[in-house]
Amino acid sequence: MSNAIVIQQMIIIFILIGIGMAVFKNGKLTRESSKDLSWIVVNITNPITILLAAIEDEEKVGAGTLGVAFLAFLLVYALLGVIGYVLPILLGVEKKERYSYRYMSVFANVIFIGLPFCTAVLGKSSLIYVSICALVFNILAYTVGIAGMQKIGVSQHPERENSGKVFSFKSVINAGIVFSLLTLVVYILDPTIPEFVRSIFTHIGRSTTYLSMLVLGVSVAQVPIKKIFGNWRLYAFALIRQIAVPIALYFVLKPFIGGNELMLKTIIILIAMPCANIPLMMANQYDVEDSTISGGIILTTILSIITIPVVTMIF
């Protein structure tokens, strides 16, 4: 894989993030309007971009390969859960802050950055594997993730235990999961899709990268510089989580799925992505202290311009 292509894509991503920061600083995009854009990306453009993976005229893979990919992502997320438990202990993080590192360890930005990056670097054929990753990601986020954050919120605010902010399995049913499942069904059945429908989906999907980068830019602009760059543990965490962990997982997975290079590369690139925004949104929902998570998201995103090219050198 050409490092020049990887670095070029990271530069493009950061330019788009910079535009989001500038628009926010100039008052043309507010925090509330950014939330609206985030909703559009999460519930409309990203799911449709994933669905495009099933209807594009690309070489199809069999149901068996999809099953292998699903099991591979389950294994990867299980390993990330173990890493998320051990790593903050090794870094000497205080017990009251370890949850931040655990959430950042498990949930990488596979949608806002991973999806457009894989499309640009690996091609549209990789999107079927991104779709499977999104399915596993969403199931974990809306079950274990929400339930855990709710428990943390109660521990930080015992007086709010009966506030009504409780976990419900209804929250698992969301656009991300529905479209990920639909993508797999359409991919396997391979129905004939009218050209005008493809055109509609393509136009919507093209807006995903730009809108998602605008949202990230607004997030970057709101976090104080000291919270981003004043914590040495976040630097150590970022280097381990974004370089050492993906490279180690590459060698763990290669004996099992090394015959499918596209699947292996897609998995490793998605795991190497910076921290996702969803832990921050969960923390806001359940009144959990989120400064470490905010700083971690921004720092890992900034460092990814270096860490992702380093990881892709192993391909």
Side-chain angles (χ1 to χ4, degrees):
M1 180 180 296
S2 171
N3 265 341
I5 295 176
V6 174
I7 293 173
Q8 181 184 52
Q9 290 304 313
M10 293 308 301
I11 291 174
I12 290 172
I13 285 172
F14 274 89
I15 289 174
L16 296 181
I17 291 174
I19 293 173
M21 295 175 63
V23 172
F24 176 78
K25 292 293 186 181
N26 288 332
K28 303 301 181 183
L29 187 61
T30 66
R31 184 173 182 177
E32 290 305 314
S33 59
S34 173
K35 289 181 179 179
D36 293 335
L37 283 180
S38 181
W39 187 93
I40 291 172
V41 171
V42 171
N43 293 283
I44 299 177
T45 68
N46 261 332
I48 287 178
T49 301
I50 291 174
L51 182 58
L52 277 171
I55 63 176
E56 289 288 349
D57 291 325
E58 300 286 347
E59 183 179 350
K60 303 289 186 179
V61 300
T65 301
L66 297 181
V68 170
F70 184 77
L71 291 175
F73 277 114
L74 286 179
L75 173 61
V76 165
Y77 276 106
L79 292 174
L80 290 177
V82 174
I83 292 169
Y85 183 83
V86 174
L87 188 54
I89 297 175
L90 296 178
L91 292 176
V93 177
E94 293 183 29
K95 287 186 177 180
K96 64 180 181 179
E97 292 185 359
R98 289 177 186 173
Y99 68 87
S100 298
Y101 289 83
R102 288 170 182 163
Y103 274 81
M104 291 189 295
S105 294
V106 174
F107 297 110
N109 201 328
V110 301
I111 299 298
F112 280 5
I113 297 181
L115 187 150
F117 186 86
C118 285
T119 304
V121 175
L122 299 178
K124 292 181 180 179
S125 295
S126 66
L127 288 183
I128 189 61
Y129 300 121
V130 178
S131 175
I132 296 172
C133 181
L135 176 61
V136 178
F137 179 103
N138 282 318
I139 290 173
L140 287 175
Y142 288 96
T143 55
V144 178
I146 286 181
M149 196 64 78
Q150 178 201 358
K151 184 177 179 181
I152 296 165
V154 170
S155 69
Q156 293 184 358
H157 307 281
E159 73 281 1
R160 299 178 184 176
E161 185 170 3
N162 298 317
S163 63
K165 293 183 177 180
V166 296
F167 167 74
S168 169
F169 279 100
K170 290 182 180 179
S171 63
V172 179
I173 308 302
N174 61 85
I177 285 184
V178 169
F179 272 84
S180 293
L181 289 172
L182 181 60
T183 296
L184 296 178
V185 171
V186 171
Y187 190 89
I188 293 171
L189 297 181
D190 197 19
T192 301
I193 307 295
E195 189 58 37
F196 81 94
V197 174
R198 291 172 180 256
S199 260
I200 292 171
F201 285 173
T202 300
H203 283 297
I204 295 174
R206 283 175 179 170
S207 66
T208 297
T209 301
Y210 182 57
L211 292 180
S212 61
M213 293 306 104
L214 283 180
V215 172
L216 278 178
V218 172
S219 296
V220 172
Q222 294 180 75
V223 179
I225 297 297
K226 186 176 180 180
K227 287 186 178 180
I228 301 175
F229 301 107
N231 187 344
W232 71 266
R233 288 184 176 85
L234 280 180
Y235 287 94
F237 167 81
L239 295 177
I240 294 171
R241 174 61 183 81
Q242 291 180 251
I243 296 180
V245 169
I247 291 176
L249 287 176
Y250 174 81
F251 290 106
V252 169
L253 295 175
K254 189 174 182 179
F256 303 100
I257 59 175
N260 189 326
E261 290 190 7
L262 180 61
M263 182 194 299
L264 181 59
K265 289 178 180 179
T266 304
I267 291 173
I268 299 307
I269 286 178
L270 291 175
I271 297 308
M273 288 295 120
C275 300
N277 286 358
I278 195 165
L280 180 60
M281 291 186 283
M282 290 178 183
N284 289 336
Q285 181 180 357
Y286 292 100
D287 300 312
V288 172
E289 203 285 320
D290 63 5
S291 61
T292 300
I293 295 176
S294 298
I297 291 171
I298 305 309
L299 182 62
T300 56
T301 301
I302 293 172
L303 292 179
S304 65
I305 197 171
I306 299 172
T307 60
I308 292 176
V310 169
V311 170
T312 58
M313 290 176 65
I314 65 176
F315 298 151

